[in-house]
């Protein structure tokens, strides 16, 4: 509750001073890149469960917890980036909607339609809320799911740690949850594709080579989406064989 209160006050303080649309887009892009960095780090950690080494993910998660205050600070900064990203995404979308008196017009004889919003851009209205729903369900199920007090305990090197691998195995043995998880990787890919490209534009990264940046953003979006989708699919398939 204290963390949530601090983040609300932070956004409240930023609101009156950060009114310039360019500054807002830079903040949105920067917070988005922080979240993408976490997604990559999170995927690399999760992929360890696909190996044959017992408790490798449990040890990985336990070692993160043992970082203590450092881990808490990183979680706090990530939470701030998440709240700020959502806040400015909504703010910019609302401002764009108010500024555009008429919808985009496509001239039937115009060859260059680069100014028209792409399918990735138009989908942001839906992918954002869908991903927020996924994150809430995912955190409730795994991060705040069954813990040591419910008997999910394993002994490793004389230490009693949370048996996260057991919880993941049991969760991904449920076809409904696996289907939900895999399907949610589609909006993740769409969101990342547009988000990375927009961040590049806002920060001037793709100023001189827009085509290359488009390709890179597409590769990253597809790679991360498929990477996350592989985990529940593989565990479900292995659990049924």
């Amino acid at each position: 509750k204290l963390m949530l209160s601090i983040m609300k006050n932070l956004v409240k303080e930023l609101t009156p001073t950060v009114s310039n649309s360019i500054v807002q887009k830079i903040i949105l892009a920067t917070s988005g890149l922080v979240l993408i960095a976490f997604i990559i780090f999170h995927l690399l950690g999760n992929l360890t469960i696909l190996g044959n080494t017992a408790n490798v993910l449990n040890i990985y998660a336990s070692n993160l917890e043992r970082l203590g205050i450092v881990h808490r600070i990183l979680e706090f900064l990530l939470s701030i980036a998440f709240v700020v990203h959502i806040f400015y995404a909504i703010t910019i979308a609302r401002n764009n909607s108010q500024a555009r008196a008429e919808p985009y017009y496509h001239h039937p004889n115009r060859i260059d339609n680069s100014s028209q919003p792409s399918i990735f851009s138009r989908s942001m209205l839906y992918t954002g809320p869908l991903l927020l729903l996924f994150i809430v369900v995912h955190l409730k199920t795994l991060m705040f799911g069954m813990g040591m007090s419910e008997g999910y305990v394993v002994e490793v090197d004389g230490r009693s740690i949370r048996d996260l691998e057991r919880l993941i195995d049991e969760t991904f043995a449920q076809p409904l949850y696996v289907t939900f998880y895999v399907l949610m990787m589609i909006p993740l890919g769409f969101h990342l594709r547009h988000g990375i490209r927009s961040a590049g534009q806002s920060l001037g990264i793709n100023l001189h080579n827009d085509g290359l940046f488009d390709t890179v953003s597409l590769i990253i979006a597809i790679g991360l989406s498929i990477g996350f989708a592989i985990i529940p699919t593989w565990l479900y398939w292995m659990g049924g064989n």
Side-chain angles (χ1 to χ4, degrees), residues 146-154 160-163:
M146 297 296 186
M148 297 177 66
S149 60
E150 289 84 13
Y152 284 72
V153 184
V154 62
S160 295
I161 61 178
R162 184 190 185 203
D163 195 353

Side-chain angles (χ1 to χ4, degrees), residues 2 46 64 66 96 105 125 142-144 146 152 158 221:
L2 176 61
N46 287 356
L64 287 179
R66 293 180 72 184
N96 289 342
Y105 174 71
L125 178 64
L142 297 180
M143 184 174 180
F144 302 111
M146 297 296 186
Y152 284 72

Side-chain angles (χ1 to χ4, degrees), residues 46-237:
N46 287 356
L47 286 174
T48 60
I49 199 173
L50 300 183
N52 295 322
T53 306
N55 291 316
V56 63
L57 185 60
N58 288 333
I59 295 173
Y60 168 77
S62 177
N63 287 339
L64 287 179
E65 289 290 338
R66 293 180 72 184
L67 291 175
I69 186 63
V70 175
H71 185 230
R72 298 306 173 200
I73 291 175
L74 291 176
E75 283 187 334
F76 178 68
L77 294 177
L78 180 64
S79 299
I80 290 178
F82 184 73
V83 172
V84 168
H85 189 74
I86 293 176
F87 176 81
Y88 281 106
I90 295 174
T91 299
I92 293 173
R94 185 177 64 242
N95 291 342
N96 289 342
S97 177
Q98 293 174 350
R100 190 168 60 244
E102 296 181 2
Y104 288 101
Y105 174 71
H106 169 64
H107 194 285
N109 297 323
R110 183 176 177 178
I111 297 177
D112 179 15
N113 297 310
S114 57
S115 63
Q116 299 297 312
S118 67
I119 184 175
F120 302 105
S121 174
R122 295 195 301 270
S123 69
M124 296 297 274
L125 178 64
Y126 310 101
T127 59
L130 283 173
L131 290 176
L132 181 60
L133 170 65
F134 169 75
I135 291 171
V136 171
V137 173
H138 189 61
L139 290 178
K140 180 179 182 298
T141 304
L142 297 180
M143 184 174 180
F144 302 111
M146 297 296 186
M148 297 177 66
S149 60
E150 289 84 13
Y152 284 72
V153 184
V154 62
E155 296 288 331
V156 177
D157 297 330
R159 293 189 296 131
S160 295
I161 61 178
R162 184 190 185 203
D163 195 353
L164 181 60
E165 290 185 12
R166 174 189 166 190
L167 177 59
I168 290 176
D169 286 337
E170 293 177 355
T171 301
F172 289 153
Q174 305 172 35
L176 185 60
Y177 190 87
V178 172
T179 301
F180 168 73
Y181 191 105
V182 172
L183 288 178
M184 285 299 100
M185 294 306 101
I186 297 175
L188 174 65
F190 274 63
H191 202 85
L192 287 174
R193 168 59 177 79
H194 178 71
I196 295 173
R197 189 178 188 283
S198 295
Q201 291 177 334
S202 298
L203 300 176
I205 300 174
N206 60 332
L207 187 62
H208 301 294
N209 205 332
D210 194 61
L212 176 61
F213 200 85
D214 273 355
T215 302
V216 171
S217 63
L218 184 61
I219 291 175
I220 294 175
I222 293 175
L224 290 176
S225 300
I226 293 178
F228 277 110
I230 285 174
I231 297 173
T233 304
W234 174 262
L235 293 178
Y236 181 77
W237 185 81

